[in-house]
Amino acid sequence: RMDALLTALLGCLLGEMGDKSQWLVLALAARYDRNRAVIAGIIVAALANAAISAFAGAWIGPMLGPDARLLFLALATLFLGIGLLWRVSPPDTLDGWPTGPFLTTALGLFILGFGDGPQLLILGIATRTAEPWLAGIGGAIGVIVALVPVVLLRAQLLTILPVRAIRWSGAGMLLLIGAGLALAATGLL
């Protein structure tokens, strides 16, 4: 059962590396210079998006047969892998929002992450497990682990890490896994 937690954690951590969420957090951390409030906003947004995905997976999963659930997970994995190959453009930094650092971070990340690759991966994993809340917890932890260091280290983190290499190698791995899952789901493997 821990495979749902670990798969979601690693997939979401990988999916957030160098993504728009990290760039938004970097901009908000630099603008507000209130690390605790920005980190609290990250945690709230990550938990909210993960909870929605886990709940939806728990609801959708029983409606699907085993092969359909596996195919859904395959598509979510492929979507996340393709997303890592996509060129990331910096998101709107929410300069005009009249809210403080906590609310701006929480709402901005919630909106930005809604329907994103990591959230879809949590949904796909949650449809396949008897404990979808583990997929939600793992996904939330993965997102938090990817974003909090950006607040604490600012741009240093993104210059230290080989973000492009992480994204490209992660994409390759996710595309291979997703293709294998899709072949297994369709009976071709």
Side-chain angles (χ1 to χ4, degrees), residues 40-54 110 136-137 139-141 143-144:
I42 290 169
I43 292 168
V44 167
L47 289 173
N49 275 334
I52 289 170
S53 297
F110 178 77
I137 290 171
I141 291 170
V143 170
I144 291 165

Side-chain angles (χ1 to χ4, degrees), residues 15-38:
E16 293 293 347
M17 293 304 297
D19 202 33
K20 290 181 180 184
S21 298
Q22 281 191 329
W23 291 106
L24 177 61
V25 166
L26 178 62
L28 295 175
R31 180 168 79 216
Y32 289 116
D33 200 27
R34 304 237 342 254
N35 288 357
R36 288 184 185 144
V38 173

Side-chain angles (χ1 to χ4, degrees), residues 139-164:
I141 291 170
V143 170
I144 291 165
V145 168
L147 299 181
V148 168
V150 175
V151 175
L152 301 175
L153 299 174
R154 304 282 201 271
Q156 286 178 322
L157 179 70
L158 298 178
T159 58
I160 293 170
L161 289 177
V163 174
R164 187 176 196 162

Side-chain angles (χ1 to χ4, degrees), residues 111-133:
I111 293 166
L112 191 61
F114 203 77
D116 200 16
Q119 190 179 37
L120 187 60
L121 181 67
I122 296 168
L123 176 63
I125 295 168
T127 62
R128 297 237 338 126
T129 182
E131 291 145 350
W133 55 275

Side-chain angles (χ1 to χ4, degrees), residues 71-84:
L71 185 58
F72 188 83
L73 177 58
L75 292 173
T77 306
L78 289 168
F79 179 73
L80 184 59
I82 291 168
L84 287 173

